[in-house]
Amino acid sequence: MANRKINGLTCGRKLLLPGAAVLALTVPVFTGLVDVSQVRAQSAENPTFEVASVKLHAQGTDRNSLAPPTVLPGGRFESKFPLAMLISFAYKLPFNQSARWTGIPDWAKGPEGLYDVEAKGVMPPGLSMQARNDRVRAMVQALLVDRFKLLIRRESKEMPVYALLVAKGGPKLQRADIDEEDCPEGSLNALGPVSPSTPIPDVCHAFNGGMGRGLHAKAANISDLAAYVENWTDRPLLDKTGIKGLYRFETKGWLPMGASADAGSSDVADRLTVFEMFGQLGLRMEPQKGVVEVYVIDHIEKPSEN
C-alpha cells in the first residue's frame, strides 16, 4: 500500500470513521488498578523504538492531516489515527470485528483518542520485508505498553469463521512478475486500508483499495489476501487453500456483507458480493467453525505527552 489515504473516505469527518464506526466495539474497558509489573513484563517481550513521540493530534481532521499506521524506510514509523487503529495494526487484527478483540474504550476510537505517533528503531541488515514489518509491529506493541499502559492478553476461542478454499475447477490466479527474493524494499509501505490513487502498490504483500474500490496488489500471497479482506467480513477469514507463492490481484469492488444488489440502486447494480469476488479468483468462502486467536484488553489509558 503505497500511499497514506483511507479507502473510500473523502472528507475529514469520514476519516475519523475507523475510530467511530468501523471500529465500533462495545465491550467496556477494565477499570481496575494497573499491575505495573505486568506492564513492564509485556514491554520487555518486544524490541523497542530508539526514540518515539506521542502527541494528541491538533491539526484538524481533514484527510491531509491524517495518516494510517505507516512503516517508513530507515526504521521510521508514523501514525496519525485513532488509537484503536494503532492497536489493530500492532496485533494484525481486522478493524471491524469485535469478536477478535474486546475491551476498547470509546475514547480510543474517535477524535479524543487521535494521536500523532512518530518513532524510529534499529533495523538489522538483511531482513525480509515481512520480517521488517513484523519487527515494527513488535516495537509498536512495546510503545503501546509503555505509553498507553496497555495490558492485553491472547486467548484461543472457537467461533464461526469463513474458510477460504479452492473452488471447483481450481484457482484462477495470475502469477506475480517477481518472486519473494526479488521483492523491493525501498518504498513506503502503508499497512492499513488505503485509497487506490496508486492502483498497484510497488511493494510486496500489500494491497490498495478494499470493498468499494476492489483489490489491487502487485505481489501478494493468499494469506495476505485473506487477512486484508477480513477487514470487511462479518467473521474471521482463514486461509485454507494451501496455495503458495505470490500473485497479482485486480478485482472489482464488492457489496457489504448482507447487502443485496437487487435493491435497484444504480450504485450497487454492478457490484459483486464478496463470495462472487472470490469466485472470480477460483476461490470460495465456506462457513465453518474454527479456533481463532482473540485479544482481550484489560487496561489502557491516555498517555502523558512527550
Side-chain angles (χ1 to χ4, degrees):
M1 292 159 234
N3 60 42
R4 296 146 60 183
K5 298 185 179 67
I6 288 296
N7 172 57
L9 306 183
T10 57
C11 69
R13 183 175 299 176
K14 289 184 179 180
L15 276 163
L16 289 175
L17 284 177
V22 176
L23 286 165
L25 311 181
T26 58
V27 178
V29 71
F30 174 76
T31 56
L33 297 176
V34 179
D35 185 335
V36 177
S37 64
Q38 282 184 280
V39 172
R40 289 174 178 168
Q42 285 197 358
S43 183
E45 294 173 359
N46 289 327
T48 59
F49 291 113
E50 288 184 307
V51 291
S53 169
V54 177
K55 297 180 179 179
L56 195 63
H57 184 75
Q59 301 177 27
T61 57
D62 65 282
R63 63 183 181 181
N64 294 322
S65 74
L66 301 178
T70 305
V71 180
L72 298 164
R76 293 178 295 130
F77 173 83
E78 77 167 10
S79 175
K80 297 180 180 180
F81 246 50
L83 176 59
M85 185 65 84
L86 190 63
I87 297 171
S88 171
F89 162 80
Y91 290 92
K92 291 187 177 181
L93 293 167
F95 56 72
N96 71 330
Q97 290 186 29
S98 59
R100 290 288 309 278
W101 49 314
T102 60
I104 308 293
D106 287 340
W107 63 263
K109 301 179 234 175
E112 190 180 354
L114 204 167
Y115 289 92
D116 293 348
V117 178
E118 296 182 358
K120 184 175 181 180
V122 174
M123 288 293 115
L127 289 181
S128 68
M129 178 178 296
Q130 287 185 303
R132 181 201 66 178
N133 291 340
D134 286 343
R135 182 176 175 85
V136 174
R137 289 181 192 275
M139 290 177 175
V140 175
Q141 292 175 18
L143 181 144
L144 288 166
V145 171
D146 181 46
R147 300 296 180 87
F148 295 89
K149 302 300 181 283
L150 174 68
L151 282 176
I152 189 168
R153 52 192 163 89
R154 183 174 61 189
E155 300 176 348
S156 294
K157 183 177 179 181
E158 185 178 49
M159 63 177 67
V161 302
Y162 291 115
L164 188 61
L165 304 166
V166 176
K168 185 177 180 180
K172 303 171 184 177
L173 301 171
Q174 180 183 353
R175 275 280 184 182
D177 296 330
I178 59 176
D179 295 322
E180 186 71 45
E181 58 268 23
D182 300 318
C183 285
E185 302 225 14
S187 304
L188 299 183
N189 185 17
L191 295 177
V194 295
S195 168
S197 58
T198 302
I200 300 292
D202 59 355
V203 292
C204 297
H205 304 288
F207 283 88
N208 273 349
M211 180 179 69
R213 305 291 188 96
L215 304 175
H216 311 277
K218 174 182 180 180
N221 60 36
I222 302 300
S223 292
D224 298 327
L225 173 68
Y228 194 68
V229 176
E230 188 179 6
N231 285 302
W232 292 276
T233 57
D234 57 2
R235 59 176 72 179
L237 177 60
L238 308 181
D239 172 22
K240 295 188 177 182
T241 63
I243 298 173
K244 306 297 181 183
L246 297 179
Y247 297 88
R248 186 183 185 96
F249 294 97
E250 292 214 49
T251 77
K252 295 181 178 179
W254 64 91
L255 294 166
M257 298 289 295
S260 171
D262 299 328
S265 169
S266 59
D267 293 336
V268 301
D270 59 347
R271 290 272 199 93
L272 306 171
T273 66
V274 66
F275 298 95
E276 292 169 334
M277 184 275 290
F278 276 124
Q280 292 191 343
L281 298 175
L283 306 174
R284 63 186 176 91
M285 283 172 52
E286 179 181 289
Q288 293 184 357
K289 284 270 192 174
V291 177
V292 178
E293 286 189 340
V294 300
Y295 288 80
V296 180
I297 294 174
D298 288 328
H299 182 88
I300 194 167
E301 62 188 56
K302 297 177 183 180
S304 57
E305 294 186 15
N306 51 67

